[in-house]
Amino acid sequence: MQRKLIAFLICCCFLTIAKAESYPEVVFDNSLVKGSYARSTVNYSGKSWVENVQKSLLVSDTLFFTPGNALSLRYISATDGDWEVLVKYSRQKFHYRVSLDDVLSMKIFVASGHTKAEMLPSIAIQQGDNQSVSIRLADFVEDFNHSNWLSVKIPVKEFAGINIDDVISGIVLRQHQTGKSTHQLFLDQIEFLPSAYPTTALTSPAVLTKATAYGKHIDLQWQVPLTPSIRYVKIYRSEDNKEFKAVAIRPTYMLSCLDYIPVLDKKYYYKIAWVDYNYRESPFSEVREVTPVEIGEDGLLDLIQLSNINYFVENYDINSGMYMPFRMKDKAPVSIRETGGAILSLLVGVEKGFVSKPLFMSRLKRIVGFLEKAQNNKGFFPTYFDGRKGLPIYFDGQPRYDIVATTSLIEALLVTRQYLSGDAAEENKLRGDITKLWERLDWQGIAYQSDPLVLRSAIDMVDEYVNHEPLVGINVGLNAYMLAIASTKSRLPAEAFANALEYRFERPRGMNRNSLRRLGMNAAGNVADSVQAMLQGGYPELKVEGRDSVYKVSAAADTMMYGLELPFGAFSGSLLEMYRPFNTINPDLAKLKKYDLKDILNRYTQMVKRRDNEIGVGTTNGDIWGFYQHRDTVGSFRVNPAISIASIFLEPTKAERSLKAIYNQYGESIFTEYGFRAWMDLRTDDVSDEYLAYNQSNLVVLLENARSGLIWRLYQAIPEIQSAEQRIFKK
């Protein structure tokens, strides 16, 4: 079984060059969950009405244009009333902008026989807090009738008030002609398309190359020809090889998918068709037969790891080789920090035989070559670059060099340098180039002059003397201290590691962000968020003495919560931040004079599980826990599957139980070709369509460390790290 799984995943990793999200121009194609569509908002007043569940539109899984569902819009447009529905744009595609040459396209089915064209709603485009002028939908419906799906195509230039420089946040449908009748529409495939697109007829049959069962997921693979008019792959399933039902569509940049089936130990039959921009289908492929059976524990863990690895195989910039978090029209943003996680994930894939070494080496050479020429200060990089131009990108408007991001990348490269032990010229050169990047890091240059044991989290590009938040607490800052202590050319004393645990940063009272910045201190940033969320308590007012001052307060805050003694007080951040240092540092070795870090991690992990179970996440199953965020007043309770599953390196039994519970109960909507989605909200029946690289890499690496200790062994074997750990950790 495991050999078959390996073969599948190797094939899966080579087949596609794709990104994890849907086409960026699509506002709605399918709801990820049944029941209601959480990414819609319904409002009505007076005698008007719109059918809804918790202010969201209902989902139809019996009548749809593209499988597997459509939106149901049932409404009354009363004279003494009004209604409005916002169909939100995907949360991940925040960067999408339209062109005046585009066309807003959608499919509607008029189910109520008495509804006339003029009784249809009006439509507008939402951009942030602004809306365009509403347009009558009836004016753009082709061949109005009550028995077919109707096409609606509206040139974007018809929407007065639209600003092409602003991103799209949704489509607004609102009451138009009034009356007393109840109308029923179904909406599907809401998207922005170019006014002219390829129309070559699809005359050749589609090609379905493989259908393989892995538990309740069926892996389907195909080959798409270079025909520009092919837009989607439509998937059909049958239980008798006679009656086939459309079960899914996939964009053509994906050459595989996982279809979830509810029943094991019975035969299923699959075929596919190509679909063009007008949704005309090609001839069917040949039929593939498969009989799914229960997957074993090792097989399931392999499937989890490799689906997450596949996310990094497919989401990268071809120019730089770096991880690409999303795509933009005018640039290719790449992430320094998450490229580190991508490298470690791909390395795991190579070791397990899921990714070819040539692919890995090709990606590494591009990354290292890009970094050699990339803008830096003291060897440290900005958080993001444009992979095409090699220029920094500042999404938050704060130009700075990111110590944490650089640390994540360099430590991954050092692990890779240790892994590449061959004598081939290619490997020798790559090891040498990585060493050059490593040795040019000036750790003493980013320490505070007033306290050389404390590292800054960033270097300001405008004013190098501006002191950003210090690196403190159990988070990726510990990795930075490890590298700083391991440095052969700019070494920090070994006590800096414990110092980062024992102290925290305290902002002087009465100081706002701007005044802190003028004094050389930047208010709370991303790095320290997890520590500040963890620590509570009141402290005396601190006196500001100079722009290079660092004010330290003891981090010790012994607190009893949920029957556990917590040495650093209450915690409300993500456990993944606490887990991140131990992607590389073996927690069994992480013992200092005052602290046993593995014991501390265990306590906080138990605390979070007990807290989440007590608060409730929308299920009575105590094995499902791990808040991504929760807001008591709003009622948003999002669970990140990666949190509980990643705890496998500490609590293997609890983590495996959580994995099985999440996969078996919610795998249909939460698990895909790219691993687990970012979150699920069991109270609002919502699932993210996003994949967070931080989740995917943590799962791959921590699962592998729990299974084989691969990354821990490689990290400890790095000569510089070995020396640093001997000086930091007690024997």
Side-chain angles (χ1 to χ4, degrees):
M1 181 65 189
Q2 191 169 1
R3 291 180 180 177
K4 291 181 179 179
L5 179 62
I6 291 174
F8 145 61
L9 291 165
I10 291 174
C11 189
C12 190
C13 288
F14 280 116
L15 276 175
T16 62
I17 300 297
K19 62 193 185 77
E21 66 266 32
S22 181
Y23 285 125
E25 63 269 20
V26 176
V27 177
F28 174 85
D29 52 9
N30 279 294
S31 172
L32 297 175
V33 295
K34 301 176 181 178
S36 62
Y37 187 57
R39 293 180 176 84
S40 61
T41 302
V42 172
N43 287 295
Y44 62 86
S45 60
K47 296 181 180 179
S48 293
W49 171 78
V50 177
E51 185 178 30
N52 70 91
V53 173
Q54 296 181 345
K55 296 297 182 181
S56 296
L57 289 178
L58 274 67
V59 170
S60 167
D61 56 6
T62 56
L63 180 62
F64 46 77
F65 182 73
T66 56
N69 52 54
L71 296 177
S72 172
L73 175 60
R74 192 163 178 245
Y75 61 93
I76 299 174
S77 297
T79 303
D80 299 327
D82 198 11
W83 65 264
E84 178 180 286
V85 172
L86 170 63
V87 180
K88 300 175 186 176
Y89 192 64
S90 164
R91 297 183 183 117
Q92 189 172 16
K93 310 179 191 81
F94 62 89
H95 54 280
Y96 184 70
R97 295 173 175 83
V98 297
S99 166
L100 289 179
D101 293 330
D102 289 343
V103 173
L104 173 58
S105 174
M106 61 189 299
K107 302 294 182 180
I108 67 172
F109 191 99
V110 184
S112 46
H114 59 272
T115 301
K116 298 180 180 179
E118 57 268 23
M119 298 174 182
L120 299 177
S122 62
I123 188 169
I125 297 175
Q126 181 92 17
Q127 295 175 296
D129 295 330
N130 300 317
Q131 284 187 16
S132 71
V133 173
S134 295
I135 297 175
R136 280 172 25 112
L137 202 60
D139 293 342
F140 299 91
V141 175
E142 301 175 3
D143 302 322
F144 182 86
N145 63 73
H146 297 86
S147 58
N148 296 300
W149 282 93
L150 309 177
S151 294
V152 178
K153 295 183 179 180
I154 309 174
V156 169
K157 61 185 177 183
E158 295 288 336
F159 291 95
I162 192 171
N163 186 343
I164 60 172
D165 294 326
D166 292 340
V167 298
I168 299 299
S169 54
I171 300 300
V172 180
L173 297 160
R174 57 165 53 96
Q175 176 171 312
H176 180 57
Q177 187 181 84
T178 60
K180 297 180 179 180
S181 300
T182 301
H183 305 280
Q184 174 74 68
L185 305 181
F186 294 94
L187 314 172
D188 207 351
Q189 219 56 42
I190 306 173
E191 57 191 332
F192 292 96
L193 296 176
S195 55
Y197 44 74
T199 57
T200 303
L202 305 180
T203 57
S204 300
V207 180
L208 178 61
T209 57
K210 185 179 290 188
T212 311
Y214 303 97
K216 290 187 176 182
H217 278 98
I218 309 298
D219 173 62
L220 303 170
Q221 299 176 14
W222 51 78
Q223 296 176 353
V224 179
L226 298 177
T227 305
S229 56
I230 300 176
R231 178 167 170 79
Y232 282 107
V233 179
K234 196 169 184 178
I235 301 160
Y236 290 83
R237 183 177 68 206
S238 171
E239 296 183 13
D240 59 6
N241 201 20
K242 296 178 181 178
E243 182 180 353
F244 282 83
K245 295 182 179 179
V247 293
I249 58 169
R250 290 292 188 271
T252 53
Y253 56 65
M254 295 177 62
L255 299 183
S256 66
C257 81
L258 292 180
D259 180 45
Y260 184 87
I261 52 95
V263 180
L264 296 172
D265 299 318
K266 63 180 299 184
K267 286 186 178 181
Y268 292 89
Y269 304 86
Y270 287 91
K271 63 182 181 181
I272 64 173
W274 310 140
V275 180
D276 68 11
Y277 281 79
N278 290 315
Y279 295 93
R280 295 171 299 197
E281 299 182 20
S282 73
F284 289 118
S285 68
E286 293 182 359
V287 174
R288 296 283 178 177
E289 174 187 318
V290 62
T291 303
V293 294
E294 191 70 47
I295 192 171
E297 288 189 11
D298 284 343
L300 179 58
L301 290 177
D302 279 345
L303 181 60
I304 301 300
Q305 281 185 282
L306 268 298
S307 59
N308 284 280
I309 290 172
N310 196 38
Y311 174 79
F312 293 110
V313 170
E314 299 177 357
N315 288 274
Y316 77 102
D317 168 51
I318 193 170
N319 303 288
S320 64
M322 308 271 284
Y323 165 73
M324 184 185 296
F326 52 84
R327 299 174 190 269
M328 302 176 71
K329 288 183 177 180
D330 56 343
K331 55 178 69 81
V334 296
S335 167
I336 289 289
R337 178 176 181 174
E338 304 306 348
T339 295
I343 291 172
L344 292 180
S345 298
L346 292 171
L347 188 154
V348 171
V350 173
E351 178 66 13
K352 295 178 74 70
F354 302 143
V355 176
S356 77
K357 191 171 181 180
L359 183 151
F360 182 57
M361 293 293 291
S362 174
R363 189 80 60 88
L364 274 175
K365 287 191 292 184
R366 294 185 198 182
I367 292 171
V368 172
F370 179 84
L371 296 175
E372 286 176 331
K373 303 174 184 177
Q375 180 176 318
N376 68 89
N377 186 354
K378 298 180 174 58
F380 296 93
F381 303 106
T383 310
Y384 297 99
F385 279 99
D386 182 340
R388 297 173 191 160
K389 301 178 182 178
L391 299 175
I393 301 175
Y394 312 109
F395 289 114
D396 58 2
Q398 296 187 29
R400 60 181 178 240
Y401 298 94
D402 191 329
I403 309 306
V404 168
T406 304
T407 295
S408 297
L409 179 57
I410 294 298
E411 72 168 358
L413 289 174
L414 288 176
V415 171
T416 302
R417 187 191 69 176
Q418 188 65 31
Y419 182 69
L420 299 176
S421 57
D423 294 328
E426 182 183 47
E427 291 192 21
N428 278 324
K429 183 180 186 309
L430 199 51
R431 287 197 299 267
D433 292 341
I434 290 173
T435 299
K436 291 178 183 177
L437 292 173
W438 154 236
E439 291 183 343
R440 77 182 183 187
L441 295 174
D442 181 6
W443 296 100
Q444 294 179 7
I446 64 166
Y448 284 86
Q449 293 181 5
S450 60
D451 192 337
L453 295 181
V454 180
L455 293 174
R456 289 181 275 178
S457 61
I459 309 173
D460 199 90
M461 285 188 178
V462 177
D463 184 355
E464 187 171 322
Y465 292 98
V466 169
N467 289 329
H468 289 269
E469 194 80 12
L471 290 178
V472 291
I474 305 180
N475 52 42
V476 73
L478 292 182
N479 302 84
Y481 284 99
M482 181 64 75
L483 293 188
I485 295 166
S487 173
T488 57
K489 295 191 175 182
S490 183
R491 178 178 296 174
L492 262 60
E495 55 265 32
F497 193 93
N499 187 73
L501 288 169
E502 293 172 346
Y503 297 99
R504 59 161 290 190
F505 173 72
E506 176 70 17
R507 182 190 303 177
R509 292 179 180 176
M511 303 297 292
N512 59 31
R513 182 180 295 269
N514 292 330
S515 58
L516 280 172
R517 192 170 179 83
R518 287 195 299 271
L519 288 166
M521 293 179 289
N522 187 33
N526 292 334
V527 176
D529 282 348
S530 60
V531 178
Q532 291 186 343
M534 185 196 327
L535 304 172
Q536 292 181 341
Y539 295 90
E541 185 170 343
L542 300 174
K543 182 180 178 182
V544 178
E545 297 178 352
R547 67 182 292 146
D548 193 34
S549 296
V550 177
Y551 299 95
K552 297 189 296 185
V553 178
S554 174
D558 288 340
T559 304
M560 287 295 297
M561 295 185 68
Y562 303 96
L564 296 163
E565 184 176 341
L566 306 176
F568 297 123
F571 176 73
S572 60
S574 170
L575 279 175
L576 291 180
E577 286 292 330
M578 296 187 82
Y579 291 168
R580 178 55 184 83
F582 306 98
N583 275 219
T584 50
I585 300 172
N586 189 333
D588 289 327
L589 303 178
K591 297 179 180 179
L592 296 92
K593 292 181 180 179
K594 292 184 180 181
Y595 305 110
D596 181 336
L597 295 186
K598 185 174 184 180
D599 176 65
I600 292 173
L601 289 175
N602 266 308
R603 293 190 209 178
Y604 278 100
T605 299
Q606 291 180 58
M607 185 277 289
V608 168
K609 184 180 186 303
R610 293 178 186 182
R611 178 203 65 192
D612 293 358
N613 289 160
E614 185 171 310
I615 293 174
V617 295
T619 176
T620 57
N621 190 335
D623 293 327
I624 297 178
W625 57 279
F627 274 133
Y628 170 73
Q629 65 176 236
H630 62 90
R631 296 191 293 270
D632 294 331
T633 55
V634 178
S636 175
F637 289 75
R638 296 177 177 177
V639 177
N640 178 357
I643 292 175
S644 60
I645 300 171
S647 69
I648 192 170
F649 77 107
L650 293 168
E651 297 274 2
T653 301
K654 292 180 180 177
E656 289 171 7
R657 288 177 57 140
S658 183
L659 167 58
K660 291 177 182 177
I662 293 172
Y663 179 80
N664 290 332
Q665 293 185 39
Y666 304 103
E668 181 177 6
S669 57
I670 195 70
F671 185 73
T672 77
E673 304 85 0
Y674 305 104
F676 288 102
R677 299 184 187 276
W679 51 261
M680 56 183 180
D681 191 331
L682 302 180
R683 293 196 171 187
T684 61
D685 199 25
D686 193 12
V687 174
S688 173
D689 65 353
E690 301 172 355
Y691 303 87
L692 299 181
Y694 201 65
N695 289 353
Q696 318 307 94
S697 62
N698 269 279
L699 273 183
V700 170
V701 175
L702 291 176
L703 279 173
E704 189 57 35
N705 279 334
R707 303 178 77 187
S708 71
L710 173 66
I711 302 301
W712 289 338
R713 291 198 310 272
L714 290 171
Y715 189 69
Q716 284 178 257
I718 298 169
E720 300 95 319
I721 297 298
Q722 195 174 72
S723 173
E725 288 189 337
Q726 289 172 353
R727 285 177 279 132
I728 294 171
F729 301 136
K730 69 178 184 179
K731 296 181 180 179

